[in-house]
Amino acid sequence: MAPPSRRHLLQIEGMDRPEIGALLDLAESYVLLNRTGKTPRDLLRGRTLINLFFEDSTRTRTSFELAGKRLGADVLNMSVSTSSVNKGETLLDTAATLNAMHCDLLVVRHDQSGAPHLLAQKVEASVVNAGDGTHEHPTQALLDALTIRRRRGRIEGLTVAICGDVMHSRVARSNIHLLLAMGASVRVVGPPTLLPSAVERLGVEVFHDMASGLAGVDVVMMLRLQKERMAKGLVPSAREFFRFFGLDKAKLAAAAPHALVMHPGPMNRGVEIASDVADDPLRSVIREQVEMGVAMRMAVLDRLTRAALANA
Ligand code: CP
């Protein structure tokens, strides 16, 4: 279990194998409790969770809301688009306002890398990073790891290919740190324009074509082309990108026959993944990732609340 002093979940970088493993074990217990409808609704009773999302979200925001409610918390979704942020209120003033309402858990998504880290220094609540700029999305990597471990029984020794727009992907960065910490081998596959410079220094292998990048891998993790973060001209066209880097059945054939297909969502069908691959029940675990998201976020809220209690 994590040291009780960890009040916040801000990034995967720096987490070690026992800490990640303990979160996976705890989340595993929540998978079963969710399926049987027997979640401990008193665990977060009297606690307040605020979802503070400065960027759009479907999966992360709703799964944190469900996770909080299933553990008995009072959950508020702050609509940034109708908040006083639009009148010029700063991130820190917004956080100080929420802090004054004695919020216990603040789940933050922001387009600026490091925004949740800044908030964590200023508020008394436990802060969870729900995605900051191009930096990290720690709960996504944790739920991905839970999905892989449930399907394969382990993470150590597997080879995972992370494909597409790695440059702009906080999901990729968190997954690289987590998978390497857990003993997997990681490949990144994409055009040079969509891979961070010197990415190999993170400990990954770099490939610029799908046939060699996917050869024999156990997991194929596709990423969305993040046009909202992208300078013009990095990709000639969506059609061209799909031809060379979109996952279709022909390209998937290079992977191991048992290889899992993953995508954090939202998907751009026909851009980074073909519909018949995304919807293939024998290969795709994309819906299962969503289910694991709720269980993993329950585990994170559970752990942070217990750590806050231990430090009180
Ligand atoms: N994977 C993910 O973060 O999805 P949302 O943007 O819908 O939260």
Side-chain angles (χ1 to χ4, degrees), residues 30 33 37-48 66-74 104-105 298 301-302 305-306 309:
Y30 280 118
L33 291 170
K38 292 180 181 156
T39 54
R41 288 185 188 261
D42 52 347
L43 193 73
L44 297 190
R45 186 177 299 144
R47 307 208 164 256
T48 304
L66 264 181
K69 286 180 172 169
R70 286 185 184 168
L71 295 174
D74 297 318
D104 300 289
L105 294 146
M298 290 169 83
L301 299 179
D302 174 333
T305 300
R306 288 183 203 272
L309 280 171

Side-chain angles (χ1 to χ4, degrees), residues 53 56-61 109 130 137 140 171 264-266 297:
F53 278 55
D56 296 342
S57 171
T58 297
R59 281 146 286 269
T60 312
R61 193 186 60 74
R109 172 171 286 190
H137 190 351
Q140 179 69 46
V171 173
R297 283 156 185 146

